[in-house]
Amino acid sequence: MDNRYHRHNRRKYSLKVHIVLVTKYRKQLLKGSIADDVKQKIFDIANTRGYEIIAMETDKDHMHFLISYDTTDRVCDIVKIVKQETTYYLWQTKGFNL
């Protein structure tokens, strides 16, 4: 059996996308515990939505992640959800005005 592909209802697929998110005006906000909190929030989003995070790294002003997703999802929706939920999380917990 080949484990490189997902199978579901006559579909066989292996969809992966590399997403890079940048902070507004390239502000260096992703330092220390904030970067860890954002990573954890993205892992939580992925778990609830059925995505698989393959790799994730952050720098001071941007973050990269490689995500595996289903054929019923669109990349633009994944990016929208991640940006909305992480921004709202930072507003609520850290008091950032992004």
Side-chain angles (χ1 to χ4, degrees):
M1 190 119 202
D2 192 6
N3 290 331
R4 293 181 299 164
Y5 298 100
H6 301 282
R7 290 172 179 77
H8 185 73
N9 292 341
R10 298 183 190 173
R11 295 178 290 166
K12 183 178 178 181
Y13 59 93
S14 177
L15 298 172
K16 295 173 181 63
V17 65
H18 176 225
I19 299 173
V20 179
L21 300 177
V22 180
T23 59
K24 191 173 182 177
Y25 305 121
R26 291 284 226 184
K27 289 183 183 176
Q28 296 186 357
L29 300 174
L30 301 173
K31 299 176 187 174
S33 67
I34 296 171
D36 295 335
D37 292 345
V38 171
K39 281 183 182 180
Q40 185 59 48
K41 182 64 179 172
I42 292 174
F43 277 117
D44 294 342
I45 294 167
N47 287 336
T48 58
R49 303 279 179 164
Y51 311 139
E52 178 188 353
I53 303 286
I54 299 167
M56 184 183 320
E57 290 297 325
T58 61
D59 199 6
K60 296 173 190 151
D61 60 354
H62 68 280
M63 66 184 331
H64 299 259
F65 54 97
L66 182 63
I67 192 168
S68 175
Y69 62 100
D70 194 352
T71 58
T72 57
D73 299 316
R74 298 183 307 175
V75 175
C76 62
D77 292 335
I78 295 170
V79 171
K80 182 177 95 173
I81 289 165
V82 169
K83 287 177 74 173
Q84 282 177 342
E85 292 191 20
T86 55
T87 301
Y88 184 74
Y89 171 76
L90 288 174
W91 280 346
Q92 293 299 311
T93 60
K94 305 296 182 189
F96 281 135
N97 188 7
L98 303 176

